Amino acid sequence: ASIVAPRVLRELGVRVDVVHAAPDGTNINDGCGSTHTDDLARAVVERGADLGIAFDGDADRVLLVDAAGELVDGDQIIALCAIDRHERGVLTGESVVVTVMTNLGFRLAMEKRGIHVVETNVGDRYVLEALEAGGLSLGGEQSGHVIFPDLATTGDGLLTAVQTLDVVVRADQPLAELAADAMTRLPQVLRNVRVAQRDPAIVDRLAPAIAAVERRLGDQGRVLVRTSGTEPLVRVMAEAPTPAEARVAVDELVQAVEALSAG
C-alpha cells in the first residue's frame, strides 16, 4: 500500500502527502496505520489536508480522518457508500450487510432511509457469505473492512478509500459533513471479562440480566454479550445515548458475568 496507494491516488488527481511509508520488514503498523491514527490526524490538521487515509497491515482495511483530524470508521464509510448507492439506485436489494458489532447509530440511519440491514457474526468471511447468498452489493465491518462484490471479491482498503473519495467529490462536501449526515455514532463501551473456563452457555444464563438492561435502554440503546471462540473471555458491549449510560449498562452486565462465573 505504501507504494501502490499514493500512485493510484495521484493518477486519479488527488494531491497526496505520504507519512509512515518506509517499510523495513519489521515496522508494519508501528505507531501508524488504521490501528494508530493519531499521527495521521495530526498531519492532516497541520498540513491543511481535506482528509487522511490509514490502511492496516495488509491493506484490506481502511479508516479515514476528516479535515479536523476526527476518525471516520468503517461504519461511517459503509453508511456513506450505502446512502450514495441507494440514492443512485445501484444498491442491490436496497440492503447492506454488517456484523453484530456495527454501531446502533448505523442501523437507525439505514432504517430512516429505507435501507435493509443484514446482520452477521463478526468476521469478513461471514459478511462475504451473506453478500453472496443475497446477491448484494455492499457490506463490511466497523474495522474498515468493506466489500464491494460488484468491484472485487474481497475487502480492499485502497478500493474502499477510492469509493469513499468518489462520494466526497461528487457530493462536493467535506468528509466531516457527509459522515455526520450519514449517521450519528452512539457511544459504545466494550469490556472483556475473563472467566475460569470457556462456557458458551453462559450467555443463555445471562438472559434475564441482559433483558433487564435492554428494557431500560429501549430503542435508544443496545447490548451485546458473546463468548470468545478461542479464550475464556466474555465480551460485553453496550451502546447508549451517553457514555455514562453505556458504562452503567456494561458494569451491570459485567457484574452478572462475574457472579455466574464465580458460582
Side-chain angles (χ1 to χ4, degrees):
S2 61
I3 297 171
V4 175
R7 177 178 174 180
V8 169
L9 293 170
R10 286 175 180 138
E11 288 185 2
L12 290 171
V14 181
R15 293 188 300 275
V16 181
D17 284 347
V18 185
V19 296
H20 292 292
D24 62 9
T26 62
N27 63 355
I28 191 167
N29 283 345
D30 185 10
C32 64
S34 62
T35 52
H36 305 281
T37 57
D38 289 350
D39 275 3
L40 175 65
R42 279 191 292 271
V44 167
V45 173
E46 290 170 359
R47 303 179 192 195
D50 294 304
L51 55 85
I53 300 170
F55 300 104
D56 74 326
D58 59 357
D60 61 355
R61 291 188 280 123
V62 68
L63 296 180
L64 307 177
V65 296
D66 64 25
E70 295 296 321
L71 183 68
V72 177
D73 69 8
D75 288 347
Q76 293 165 295
I77 291 170
I78 297 167
L80 280 171
C81 293
I83 293 167
D84 175 69
R85 286 182 167 224
H86 171 68
E87 291 177 346
R88 291 189 289 124
V90 294
L91 183 66
T92 307
E94 299 300 339
S95 299
V96 61
V97 180
V98 295
T99 77
V100 293
M101 290 303 296
T102 294
N103 194 275
L104 175 59
F106 176 93
R107 293 169 169 80
L108 296 175
M110 296 301 101
E111 181 181 356
K112 178 181 177 182
R113 290 170 172 82
I115 299 173
H116 177 62
V117 175
V118 178
E119 186 177 277
T120 75
N121 290 328
V122 175
D124 59 279
R125 70 186 182 98
Y126 298 113
V127 173
L128 185 57
E129 286 174 2
L131 287 167
E132 292 177 343
L136 304 178
S137 58
L138 178 61
E141 297 187 275
Q142 192 178 71
S143 64
H145 192 123
V146 185
I147 304 173
F148 300 89
D150 55 337
L151 300 174
T153 57
T154 187
D156 182 313
L158 179 54
L159 175 63
T160 300
V162 169
Q163 289 293 296
T164 309
L165 286 172
D166 182 50
V167 176
V168 171
V169 171
R170 283 187 287 102
D172 194 24
Q173 291 179 257
L175 175 61
E177 291 182 14
L178 289 172
D181 182 62
M183 63 171 281
T184 300
R185 186 168 47 192
L186 270 65
Q188 187 180 82
V189 175
L190 173 66
R191 284 180 58 188
N192 292 326
V193 187
R194 186 162 294 276
V195 293
Q197 58 185 11
R198 286 191 62 236
D199 177 13
I202 195 172
V203 176
D204 293 331
R205 292 190 284 130
L206 286 165
I210 294 171
V213 174
E214 288 178 332
R215 281 194 299 271
R216 188 171 71 245
L217 292 175
D219 59 4
Q220 296 302 306
R222 183 173 74 103
V223 299
L224 177 66
V225 181
R226 61 191 185 95
T227 56
S228 167
T230 57
E231 300 178 85
L233 294 175
V234 178
R235 308 190 193 282
V236 180
M237 186 272 287
E239 294 167 343
T242 68
E245 290 173 283
R247 283 194 296 271
V248 168
V250 166
D251 287 345
E252 187 174 323
L253 291 172
V254 166
Q255 290 174 11
V257 170
E258 291 174 341
L260 282 177
S261 179

